[in-house]
Amino acid sequence: MKRTLYRNLDIYNEDTHIKGDILVAGDTIEAIGDIDMAADEVYDCTGMVAMPGLCDIHVHFRDPGQTHKEDIITGCAAAAAGGVTAVCCMPNTSPVCDDPKIADYQREKARNTGVHVYPVGATTVNMAGEKLADLAAYADNGITMVSDDGHPVANAELMREALEKSEKYGILVASHCEDLDIVNGGIMNKGKVSEELGVKGIDRASEDSIVAREIALADSCGARIHICHLSTRGSLETVRDAKKRGIKVTCETAPHYFMCNDTLLLKRDADYRMNPPLRDESDRLAIIEGVADGTIDCIITDHAPHTAQEKAVFEKAPNGVVGLETSFAATLTAFVHTGLLPYESIVRLMSAEPRRIAHIPEVRIEQGAKAEFIIADPDHEWYVEPEKLKSRSKNTLFKGTVLKGKVMLTISEGRVIYMDNAFGRAVKNPMDMLAAKIIEKNNPTVVGLDPKLEYIPEYIKLAAVEKHGPGLKAAAAAILRFNKEIIDAVCDLVPAVKPQSAYYEMYGHHGIKTLEKTIEYAKSKGLFVILDGKRNDIGATMQAYSAAYLGATDVFGQPEQAFGADALTINGYLGTDGIKPALETGGAMFVLVKTSNKSSGELQDRRLCDGKTVYETMGDMCEKWGASYIGESGYSTVGAVIGATYPEMLAEMREKLPHTFFLIPGYGAQGGGAEGVAKGFDKNGLGAIVNSSRAVMCAYKKENCDERDFAQAARREVIRMKEDIISHIPAIRYPDKIDG
């Protein structure tokens, strides 16, 4: 089970604040506080805050039917980037979500995103305002909220009926409060700005009157009513008064209503148009007061994507703005950094209370809870650039604005579903990660993924050729399928895999893509990835290699990860100039010291003027290069490749290089045995990992079994190899240094 440690945080729930660490094991928070335990990954979060995953109960993901604007996948990506782990999707899709089957479709499509999608059912059939939808069917399906958002239910008696039945079925009715007769074609707030622009305005009475009506209807039948996207001072006062009278009313607002006013419309830019519209400054100040004093229960985004083409003409454009990626930052900017609210209140407004309102499971940061939280840098100032948003549409009214506060990590179901480029890599010594995985699996072996086409079963190759035609693309596709099935079969047994880049590069750009996807897939299965690239250069060129395989490349001011391996094999014979750039990426390396090939002695066994051999000197350099990068396991980020075919040299190097982790190729097919490779391990059964490639990939050929059983044959070989090696080495355990 993977363990991840997030250190040095200010940890907030709505009612608690502590300083400390968060340890996640699998999908659960194992511990919080001052933690001194080993983990696979450790993130240094000094200066950052942790909060439960945010919840937005009012978004539009346009799926099904309008996926050119947004879909469930892109919407969830935008949510994750904004720290939002739960969303309620409004029903104005095509077709309208008035059928539980559509709700099922939305949930299923979001299943692997890490963002929990809660569909909102339409209050009336097809949102037509004529016939009440089947609330009983909604309740059976798990739908907990209904709304005709975007289309107010004009018939008051029908709305009263919906409220009555909502109490019976435990469903919340959320109302889009707007009198269309008053709106009458208006496109922005009615006032001085609309007059100056010469466009028809919307009197705030259109909202105020329906808010009053909904509260009166809810009061008449003792039901709950939720007021969507409140924007006026009049509506706020009506809600405030209703709460004092004990009426069961809740309400929401969006960041644009407390950050902006209608003067932005003077730009005649439709990205500043939404419904309800931006109001005047007196309304904005009233909304701020309503959030601060608790009258407004929660903050939502009303995330409403539209394409640039749709937003091109000011007077004709549809209403709506995207907001999932800016909501948290805007709220911190408006309330925390002005001293109006503490962080605990942000948790209440953006996580705890919206979940309670919509009957969504609450999340907390506490021992034993599901790991669903965000880590944010509250002081990080950033410039909102629409083209960098994850949302498919870019119609944000915060474009060009500097906001203060940024979500750096979003964790859901125990895994990081979003990491901001500004956060960088985990600070965990990668060799500590590798050691922890070896201990977890009780297995110091790595599967080499060096697939030649002749290793691939015929039925996989034939399927690839049938789909792609004979050529490089088919070869790469066959290799990827082969790799994935091998990984699936062994990922619970081995700590790591080692793809050799040459076996992918030979298939051109298709092969490179397969290498990238293989690394990505292996890491998704929790495996440590050693890229066998044997890179060797100096200065800027080595920086480029290191960025490509271990770190990130600066692309137009933003770091972008290419391959993301955990370790890279390196030819160290250009000296320190070829090693330092790789060290600076934060990844690990295995330097060629004594390789397993027969001719290695032609150079590596030669003695230098000081009497040492070349391989001894290279080993000494590994210790020197890694001296400042030693982790909790006692090993540095600089490892060494020492072949299984030279057991006496393994023993010699193990004694001389106490801080250097060994990658040992040559076991099995090249003649190395378990008794020999055991000499590369320390007293804790650590310090080395043994590679097998062909013996695993071609196990089905050796067994002469059905080629469709190739993955299970690989699994059987991995088990055999593991049992062989661990029977010859000390019991694998944490060193005393990190015993916990």
Side-chain angles (χ1 to χ4, degrees), residues 236 239-240 243 249-252 286-298 335 340-341 345 348-349 353 357:
L236 181 70
V239 170
R240 184 178 282 129
K243 288 188 170 189
V249 58
T250 54
C251 66
E252 63 188 37
I287 297 299
I288 290 175
E289 181 183 357
V291 172
D293 70 15
T295 302
I296 294 174
D297 298 275
C298 63
F335 292 102
L340 290 174
L341 289 174
S345 293
R348 173 179 56 81
L349 286 159
E353 194 60 29
I357 289 170

Side-chain angles (χ1 to χ4, degrees), residues 570-611:
I570 288 178
N571 185 333
Y573 287 87
L574 289 178
T576 302
D577 290 340
I579 300 297
K580 187 177 178 182
L583 280 172
E584 291 172 349
T585 65
M589 69 187 79
F590 288 97
V591 178
L592 303 182
V593 172
K594 178 59 181 173
T595 56
S596 57
N597 59 300
K598 292 181 180 179
S599 65
S600 65
E602 294 174 2
L603 172 62
Q604 295 166 17
D605 292 353
R606 285 182 175 268
R607 295 199 177 272
L608 303 177
C609 57
D610 61 1

Side-chain angles (χ1 to χ4, degrees), residues 427-432 576 579-580 583-584 586-587 589 620-632 634-638 659-660 737:
V427 298
K428 182 71 175 178
N429 179 317
M431 293 305 187
D432 288 349
T576 302
I579 300 297
K580 187 177 178 182
L583 280 172
E584 291 172 349
M589 69 187 79
D620 291 343
M621 294 300 294
C622 289
E623 281 283 303
K624 177 183 175 182
W625 288 325
S628 298
Y629 300 87
I630 297 173
E632 295 174 340
Y635 290 98
S636 80
T637 56
V638 181
H659 305 298
T660 303
K737 185 175 182 179

Side-chain angles (χ1 to χ4, degrees), residues 179-202:
D179 186 318
L180 295 180
D181 291 329
I182 295 176
V183 173
N184 192 27
I187 65 169
M188 63 173 292
N189 184 58
K190 182 179 181 180
K192 292 181 180 179
V193 176
S194 64
E195 291 177 4
E196 183 174 341
L197 290 173
V199 300
K200 187 172 180 58
I202 303 172

Side-chain angles (χ1 to χ4, degrees), residues 467-547:
K467 182 175 181 180
H468 301 290
L472 296 175
K473 188 174 183 179
I479 289 169
L480 181 60
R481 178 177 172 183
F482 179 77
N483 285 352
K484 285 184 173 181
E485 294 195 33
I486 292 281
I487 289 169
D488 286 342
V490 305
C491 63
D492 63 320
L493 298 174
V494 299
V497 292
K498 183 178 72 65
Q500 160 56 265
S501 62
Y503 289 95
Y504 301 86
E505 293 169 11
M506 64 193 293
Y507 299 107
H509 71 276
H510 299 294
I512 294 295
K513 191 67 178 176
T514 287
L515 176 61
E516 178 188 354
K517 289 181 177 180
T518 295
I519 293 172
E520 180 183 10
Y521 192 71
K523 289 175 77 72
S524 76
K525 296 292 184 177
L527 295 171
F528 189 93
V529 177
I530 302 168
L531 180 61
D532 195 356
K534 297 184 176 66
R535 297 310 184 207
N536 178 220
D537 220 304
I538 62 172
T541 307
M542 195 61 195
Q543 287 176 352
Y545 278 135
S546 303

